[in-house]
Every structure is written in C-alpha cells, then in structure tokens.
Amino acid sequence: MPQTAAWAARIRQELVGNILPFWMRHAVDRENGGFYGAIDENLNVDVKAERSAVLNARILWTFAAASRLIGNEYRGLADWAYDTITNRFLDLQDGGLFWMLDYRGNPVSTRKQTYAQAFGIYALSEYFRATGNAASLDHAKRLFQLIEEHDRDPVCKGYLEARARDWRPLADMRLSPKDLNSPKSMNTHLHLLEAYTNLLRVWRDPTLAARQSELLELTMDCIVDPLSGHFRLFFDQEWNSLSDHRSYGHDIEGSWLIVEAAEVLDDAKLIKRARTLAVMMAGSVYEQGLDQDGSLFYEADAQGRLVDPKKHWWAQAEAVVGFYYAFQVSGDRRFLDASRRVWDYIEAKVVDKVHGEWHAKLSPEGVVLTAAEDPDAQLAGPWKCPYHNARLCYEMIGRLEEETSGKRTS
C-alpha cells in the first residue's frame, strides 16, 4: 500500500508539475489565437507552423479532463481550447472538423479525416463532462451523425478513413504519409471506439450504443489477430489485411481501450470477452515488445523482427496503463512489474528535465534523438501533444488511489 501511494504521488507530480504547466506556459498563442503548431526540442516556437485538428482536439480533451479531475485552475485553458475547436476548426459550411489550419486560423487542408472527427467527439464530450456546456454535447452529437452518415460502411461494416470537405470520396485517404492508402485502418477504428466510449458516457442514445457494440465486436473479430494477439493495421474494403507489421504501442493501448469500451457499454458478455482479449494482447506485447531496460520497442514484422526499435514517447505512456489494466484484470504480477518498469524508464529517460514535457523519441539504447536525427523530435507538433502522457496520469492516479482509498474517480 505505501508503494502504491508513493507511485501515485510521483505520477501526480509529473502531471501537475511538468506536463500541464508546459502547455499552459509555452503552447498558447495569445496573438493569433489557438495553440502554436510546433515547438522544437530546444523550446523554439514556430509561430507560423500549421495547426492540426488532432493537436487542438487533444489539448481540449487534456485540459477538460484536468479541470474535471484535478482542479478548476485548468478550466481557463479548456475554455480557450474549446473556443479554438468550435470557432476555427468546425466547418460551418459542410460540417465536421478541418484537418489543418494556418497560423491565422484559415483552413489549409479541408479534408474530413475520420480520425480527426473522432478526436473532436472525444474532446467535446469531455468538455461537456467538465462544464455541462450543452453546445459542446450538441457539437459532439453532430460529429457522430456526420460520421455515421458519410463514413460508415453499411455492407462490410466499419468506417472509411477520410472524405473531402463536402464528404465526397477521396482517392488518397491516408492519415499520414507513413501510412498505407487503405480504405480502413486499425488506428482510425481504435480512436473512433475511444470517442464513442466517451460520448456514450454522457449520451445514452440507442443508435450510438448499437454502433459502439458493432464497432467493438468488429475490432475484436477483424482487427485483432486471434492467433498472435496483435492488431492488424491496414485493410481493404472487405477487411482483408494489407500489412503484417505489429505496432506494440497500439497493441497495448488498444488492449485497455477495448475493455473500457465494453465496460461503458455495460454488456457482460462483451466485458468478459474484452478482458480475456486484453490479457492476451498484453501478454503478446510483454513477450515480444519489451526491451531489457523495461521500455517498449515500437514496431516489428510478423516474425517479430524489429522494424522500428526506437522508443516513442506515446508508446511508453500507453504501456504503463495497458500493463496495469492487464494486472487488474488477471492478477498476473508480471504485468504490474512491467507497468512499474516502464514508468521508471519514463521518469529516467523520457521526461525532458530541461525544457519540460517529454522527449518525442529515443534511440534503442535510450539516447534522446534530435531533429537532425528524426524529424519527429519535437516537444509539440501535429501529433506531439499532452494526450497520451496526461491520460496516463489521469488513469493511473485514479486506479492507484482507488487501491489506497477504495474510491475511484473516472
């Protein structure tokens, strides 16, 4: 029990002493509005960098959750982020969220990426949870309706990756240049599942519940490989897999998001199946994805040969939560030990003790990578945000303090 309380205190200090203050001090653009699109590894701000919907929606979710779970001192930044999403990213003509804006708030990429709409739902639902703002819930509901109307595949099930501004088909639907141009992906479905989970917490709509049940079963039936316990990553329209790579960070993240989705649906059969699958997935990552120092490798091929052995910040964060979930479900203490070891690695290597926030990537040996070595080495960017590491803190503080007090805030 004392160890658990001490661990919770360390995580809370990281959240309120480093992660949240970094974004409050360095990311807010008071001149042009919104949040800066890029901050490099040395804390240099690129004022004119483009601003992504993903970054801004994740900031909204982070500070809405902080104001709800930690304290009202974070409400001001949550309000600022909400105004940014609703007054800049929302397309008043065709609905949905723009993918990218310039630094003055003008759309530069008007495509409707399903992934971005999902994070809009996730964030707006959380803002409603924190504030009771009815307009926020209305916006989240409208995004849900647009996704169901334009992106859902009624024949093969699941959701298409992207549409044009007016919701017409796109030839190139990729989420990023690194991805395959496939009509469906694990990543989009995982975060849509996460978004619908949060919306269902505040809106027990029968259609939403039915779509979420369908999505969860689809994830467990088609996206998780039942033999390996890993996610398949990219698919054609009929759910034939187009890649044999394994993404350890997504596997361990998905393991606990599947359980969360089933629990919020409150379906006993789905909960039982999701928990069994989560332990299997965590076991596969434990056996194949962990380095000897306790950190998580990023990606491998079907034979387990490392394709990307780097240590990505967000994957380490998800490993702490995913392994702890697996421990709570199974009682297997190797998962508890794995969760603690990844956290120790984060504290020792990933946290940027000079500038604040977390380093984006480390070498396999645990050396911080610079922008010259990896273009993703940023403190803030289109994908580098406080969502994964702040969420780690919210989840773990709640679960660890539950152990010490018998109460849980979720």
Side-chain angles (χ1 to χ4, degrees):
M1 197 76 73
Q3 271 191 331
T4 301
W7 190 12
R10 286 160 59 192
I11 293 174
R12 182 178 288 274
Q13 179 56 35
E14 174 60 22
L15 176 69
V16 303
N18 179 27
I19 297 169
L20 297 177
F22 176 90
W23 294 89
M24 296 171 79
R25 292 169 186 158
H26 302 298
V28 182
D29 185 347
R30 297 294 180 188
E31 180 178 352
N32 299 295
F35 299 89
Y36 296 120
I39 303 174
D40 74 11
E41 69 212 81
N42 296 311
L43 209 57
N44 297 307
V45 175
D46 184 348
V47 175
K48 296 185 177 181
E50 294 178 352
R51 286 109 191 262
S52 75
V54 172
L55 173 65
N56 283 268
R58 287 175 168 184
I59 292 173
L60 171 55
W61 178 86
T62 297
F63 281 90
S67 66
R68 183 174 64 85
L69 295 169
I70 307 301
N72 198 52
E73 62 267 33
Y74 303 107
R75 172 68 186 271
L77 200 65
D79 293 342
W80 180 271
Y82 174 74
D83 289 343
T84 300
I85 289 292
T86 56
N87 292 329
R88 293 179 174 229
F89 280 93
L90 271 180
D91 181 355
L92 299 181
Q93 174 180 308
D94 295 299
L97 298 178
F98 294 124
W99 181 241
M100 197 76 69
L101 308 180
D102 68 16
Y103 76 103
R104 295 190 185 278
N106 303 303
V108 293
S109 177
T110 60
R111 62 192 289 130
K112 303 297 167 58
Q113 206 78 34
T114 307
Y115 187 100
Q117 314 313 310
F119 271 101
I121 292 172
Y122 189 57
L124 291 163
S125 300
E126 190 64 28
Y127 188 74
F128 176 75
R129 294 180 78 192
T131 67
N133 183 317
S136 182
L137 181 57
D138 288 341
H139 287 310
K141 290 177 183 179
R142 182 56 183 151
L143 290 177
F144 164 73
Q145 292 160 355
L146 287 167
I147 290 170
E148 293 299 319
E149 179 181 353
H150 298 293
D151 296 332
R152 183 170 178 267
D153 180 347
V155 177
C156 300
K157 298 183 181 179
Y159 299 84
L160 301 178
E161 289 291 292
R163 295 288 192 178
R165 176 178 182 172
D166 59 3
W167 302 96
R168 293 181 184 179
L170 280 176
D172 186 347
M173 294 187 281
R174 290 177 297 171
L175 185 61
S176 78
K178 299 176 182 178
D179 292 333
L180 294 183
N181 184 25
S182 63
K184 297 173 182 176
S185 75
M186 170 279 300
N187 205 6
T188 290
H189 284 79
L190 177 64
H191 292 293
L192 193 58
L193 184 77
E194 169 190 47
Y196 283 8
T197 295
N198 218 28
L199 182 56
L200 199 57
R201 286 186 171 112
V202 295
W203 183 43
R204 300 300 294 192
D205 176 72
T207 301
L208 171 61
R211 292 290 184 263
Q212 177 73 329
S213 294
E214 179 182 277
L215 178 53
L216 178 56
E217 292 190 78
L218 181 72
T219 300
M220 296 191 289
D221 289 340
C222 298
I223 299 179
V224 179
D225 182 343
L227 298 178
S228 69
H230 296 289
F231 276 138
R232 301 180 180 107
L233 303 183
F234 300 99
F235 306 88
D236 66 13
Q237 193 92 15
E238 292 76 33
W239 291 102
N240 297 300
S241 180
L242 302 177
S243 171
D244 64 357
H245 280 196
R246 300 169 177 176
S247 174
Y248 295 126
H250 286 109
D251 287 341
I252 198 65
E253 177 185 23
S255 70
W256 74 269
L257 289 178
I258 287 170
V259 175
E260 180 186 57
E263 290 176 344
V264 172
L265 276 167
D266 197 24
D267 184 312
K269 290 183 179 178
L270 288 177
I271 290 170
K272 182 178 179 181
R273 186 180 175 197
R275 288 176 176 173
T276 300
L277 191 60
V279 173
M280 178 188 180
M281 294 176 74
S284 295
V285 176
Y286 181 91
E287 295 293 342
Q288 302 159 26
L290 287 176
D291 200 352
Q292 292 182 351
D293 59 10
S295 62
L296 197 68
F297 293 120
Y298 193 66
E299 192 169 321
D301 64 18
Q303 287 71 46
R305 294 185 294 256
L306 290 172
V307 175
D308 184 351
K310 295 174 185 174
K311 313 299 173 64
H312 295 226
W313 67 281
W314 73 265
Q316 312 310 313
E318 295 301 336
V320 176
V321 181
F323 283 132
Y324 197 80
Y325 253 72
F327 162 67
Q328 288 191 307
V329 169
S330 68
D332 188 337
R333 293 191 66 84
R334 65 179 178 149
F335 294 131
L336 174 60
D337 293 339
S339 180
R340 284 176 171 162
R341 290 194 71 203
V342 181
W343 175 256
D344 289 342
Y345 180 89
I346 289 169
E347 279 191 320
K349 301 276 183 105
V350 182
V351 173
D352 186 334
K353 298 177 178 63
V354 176
H355 306 103
E357 239 293 319
W358 290 13
H359 300 294
K361 292 184 185 178
L362 285 72
S363 73
E365 297 76 27
V367 178
V368 175
L369 297 176
T370 66
E373 297 166 311
D374 191 303
D376 294 331
Q378 299 173 295
L379 291 170
W383 299 95
K384 180 64 165 60
C385 61
Y387 148 78
H388 288 284
N389 49 3
R391 186 171 67 175
L392 174 164
C393 297
Y394 302 141
E395 286 292 326
M396 292 301 293
I397 289 168
R399 292 179 182 280
L400 294 171
E401 291 184 349
E402 179 185 33
E403 287 193 16
T404 59
S405 68
K407 298 179 181 179
R408 165 103 168 111
T409 302
S410 62

